[in-house]
Amino acid sequence: MNYNSKVSFFGGTFLSSVIHIGVEDFITTIVLAIVGAVVSFIVSVILKYFFQRLKIKYKK
């Protein structure tokens, strides 16, 4: 399969699925992605803080 065939295949698949996805589903997906990214970031910061505290506590 050459490059043009791949682009045509994926482009057609994408465009045909965009038509069937409602605006509400699209907005819900965006909101859930944002919430997931924020929660992941907060948990990462909290875990980093706790691991640094543990490292300092056990070095003494």
Side-chain angles (χ1 to χ4, degrees):
M1 195 180 248
N2 62 16
Y3 179 73
N4 290 334
S5 296
K6 289 180 184 179
V7 170
S8 299
F9 175 75
F10 289 117
T13 303
F14 175 73
L15 289 177
S16 66
S17 50
V18 166
I19 293 171
H20 295 289
I21 297 174
V23 176
E24 297 86 14
D25 294 332
F26 190 68
I27 292 173
T28 302
T29 303
I30 291 172
V31 170
L32 289 175
I34 291 171
V35 169
V38 170
V39 168
S40 175
F41 176 75
I42 291 171
V43 169
S44 297
V45 169
I46 291 171
L47 287 174
K48 183 179 178 182
Y49 172 76
F50 283 132
F51 282 125
Q52 286 178 350
R53 298 272 301 188
L54 286 172
K55 190 187 326 182
I56 291 170
K57 184 178 180 181
Y58 286 114
K59 276 191 173 182
K60 290 183 178 181

